Amino acid sequence: MKTKTLYDKVWQSHVVHERDDGMTLLYIDRHLVHEVTSPQAFEGLRLANRNLWRKDSILATADHNVPTTDRSAGIVDPISKMQVDTLDQNCKDFALTQFPMLDVRQGIVHVIGPEQGASLPGMTIVCGDSHTSTHGALGALAFGIGTSEVEHVLATQCLLMKKSKNMLIKVDGNLSSGVTSKDIILAIIGRLGTAGATGYTAEYAGAAIRSLSVEGRMTMCNMSIEAGARAGIIAVDDTTIEYVTNRPFAPKGAIWDQAVLQWRTLHSDEDVKFDVTVELNANLLKPQVTWGTSPEMVVDVDGVVPKDAHLSDDKQRALQYMDLQPGTPIEQIYLDKVFIGSCTNSRIEDLREAAKVIQGRKLAANIKLAMVVPGSGLVKQEAEQEGLDKIFKTAGFEWREPGCSMCLGMNADQLEVGERCASTSNRNFEGRQGKGGRTHLVSPVMAAAAAVHGHFVDVRRYL
Amino acid sequence: MKSFTKIESTLLPLDRRNVDTDAIIPQQYLKSVKRTGFGVNLFDNWRYLDPGVLGQDHSQRRVNSDFVLNQAVYKDAKILLARDNFGCGSSREHAVWSILDFGFEVVIASSFADIFCSNSYKNGLLPITLSAEEVDYLFKHVAKDPTFKCNVDLDAQIILDESDKTFSFEIDEFRKYCLLNGFDEIDLTLQHADKIKAYEVRLREVSPWIFDTY
Ligand code: SF4
């Protein structure tokens, strides 16, 4: 029998029909829906008078537009409100399962899917959102789609696509204290470039990956798209099974046992060949900081802003936009704001690690605003039970309600023109956090240390 | 979907790599629940000097006259020319809607991000990948003469320029067939409805937990 990668296995078990040219009708098990990329799809369904294929495949929530401050009075911005209301109405009309804004289970769609057990190993999972790759951490094939594809899945439970190639990203060794899964993935993106994995599904493997929690694995799979890979995936092991156990929507009883048996097969065959293999040694990794306007523009914390004599046009443009001089040490970059949140780093483990750095310390005087935005209402609740909110608040952080928040600034949480931010999110594009805003991507512990010092510092010195 | 066959047009040169969909259409415009009206906000952060919001009168905003989209010589271009990794980042289909709504029908680049590409096909926007050298050739010619025109023929998979130089490009047979005919993929898929149902029967046996989640 032909050996297979994990991606081959999940893909092949979901093929409904394959044309001679390889174009495949792929079955979709789980469809996550949020307010920004779904209204036009529901509208299209109505206009064409089509039915929804399988409503129990869908879980919906509003995350991009929701305010992170007091919500009891509803959404103030009328345009945001209209988009969230539209989702509420669509969920009502089609009788979909939804966590509305005031439900404690509401949160960023990529946090709540795994948290609820709606995302499970071996599933095909889609959402009109490129960071759907996050769910690959459970051994699922998960990827982002556009709104027309959202409509296609609503109407047919399938997608038409061709299979990607297989890339293995092998990370061996051990992470040193203060170096996190965020640093691994940033270093990978720095190595591959933002288009380096375009056309591939990236499987992360190796000792350093196996020793990560599912939360840490999610951080890595989340940013697969920043290397160009539509999906990232990690083999199922005890850590995965333990994570899924007793989640609200996970199977129970005899069906659970049947599921676990199947999930245990979700790993690449031992001698399988990947189209490309990339290797990294975790022992050598340092905390990473992006300096430019693309996630590939990243250096070690003890490094400097690139000063090569012949910087390419895009690097020069990035330097100008970021208002940085070539050769500036990263530790001398001063900040205005700090954002801990987003589907990359807003889970309980992220908040715990950041809180350890913050404990007993205060925000630096030059930090105008530092905020923690938990990924879901349940993460927030758990953090509060552990007293993490007090640690952050005592230090001067704002403790907010869950949502996407300043990851993209669709709600009121934005950077002003020229402001510089240490952010645990995934994109440092021009204007991503607000027109003229300057974003540096880092791990939660690096963001926490920067908040205390007012500039980037090597967090390894403070642990 | 509207069909695509041939066009003849000048090119608008956007000489950048890694043009992300946040740059193509910034976040505040994603609050719209419609598919139309995004053209006026295409490349909003580069095109205007002042910040904008959804629904305002954008003709009153301060225009960045240095930005190529605001230069009159390129006004009628239906072909957008860019460098590698065009359309990277967010999956927002609003990026494709804004490019089409502005009046472009083709994007030529040395590579595209996957999701942007599939979004393009679903809306009748043709993404054409050429080699870096070919893209370079086009940039040079447009820089010399902004009225430089190309003919794009989807059926023949060929771009022909004014000096009779031709570039051939690759496209999936299926994608081409859908574009040429303006086919709706959902209709095509629903022709396989019985296969989908049969798959679900099998799936319910092998993986019953996929169903009846709530
Ligand atoms: S947190 Fe940021 S990246 Fe994640 S889904 Fe929300 S907007 Fe997208």
Side-chain angles (χ1 to χ4, degrees), chain A residues 6-20:
Chain A
L6 171 54
Y7 169 54
D8 296 340
K9 290 181 187 178
V10 183
W11 173 276
Q12 283 165 15
S13 64
H14 287 84
V15 173
V16 172
H17 174 67
E18 187 177 336
R19 288 164 44 102
D20 292 342

Side-chain angles (χ1 to χ4, degrees), chain A residues 97-235:
Chain A
T97 304
Q98 185 207 11
F99 298 154
M101 190 169 74
L102 296 175
D103 191 310
V104 70
R105 297 168 297 176
Q106 179 270 339
I108 305 171
V109 69
H110 309 308
V111 174
I112 67 170
E115 183 174 86
Q116 291 296 319
S119 308
L120 293 170
M123 276 183 164
T124 44
I125 303 172
V126 297
C127 174
D129 195 289
S130 60
H131 290 103
T132 310
S133 56
T134 311
H135 311 254
L138 295 165
L141 173 57
F143 52 89
I145 56 179
T147 297
S148 296
E149 289 173 316
V150 170
E151 187 180 337
H152 195 281
V153 177
L154 290 175
T156 71
Q157 210 56 43
C158 291
L159 278 175
L160 268 168
M161 59 198 307
K162 277 192 167 173
K163 191 162 179 279
S164 317
K165 288 180 280 188
N166 281 294
M167 177 182 284
L168 175 66
I169 300 179
K170 198 157 176 276
V171 191
D172 278 316
N174 291 307
L175 289 175
S176 38
S177 166
V179 185
T180 68
S181 61
K182 179 68 163 281
D183 302 301
I184 310 181
I185 189 66
L186 282 172
I188 290 170
I189 296 161
R191 170 98 80 87
L192 293 175
T194 50
T198 302
Y200 291 90
T201 290
E203 177 173 343
Y204 304 100
I209 307 297
R210 281 198 300 277
S211 67
L212 292 174
S213 65
V214 169
E215 284 85 351
R217 296 174 187 185
M218 285 198 252
T219 301
M220 297 207 47
C221 288
N222 175 275
M223 290 190 76
S224 302
I225 185 70
E226 272 66 53
R230 212 166 166 177
I233 196 164
I234 295 177

Side-chain angles (χ1 to χ4, degrees), chain A residues 13 27 40 50 53 56 58 77 83 147-148 151-152 162 262 314 408 410 427 430 432 435, chain B residues 17 22 27 30-31 34-35 45-46 48 89-90 93 119 172 187 189 199-200 207 212-214:
Chain A
S13 64
Y27 190 80
Q40 297 88 349
R50 286 186 179 119
W53 188 279
D56 73 351
I58 296 173
D77 174 1
Q83 198 165 48
T147 297
S148 296
E151 187 180 337
H152 195 281
K162 277 192 167 173
Q262 188 193 97
D314 54 322
L408 93 167
M410 265 185 92
R427 288 187 174 137
E430 284 183 27
R432 171 76 180 183
K435 188 175 167 99
Chain B
R17 301 179 56 224
D22 274 82
Q27 59 274 33
L30 311 188
K31 295 182 190 186
K34 305 199 191 84
R35 275 179 199 260
N45 284 337
W46 293 338
Y48 301 103
S90 154
E93 198 160 313
N119 288 344
D172 269 342
D187 283 339
T189 298
Y199 177 88
E200 284 183 324
S207 313
D212 312 321
T213 305
Y214 311 111

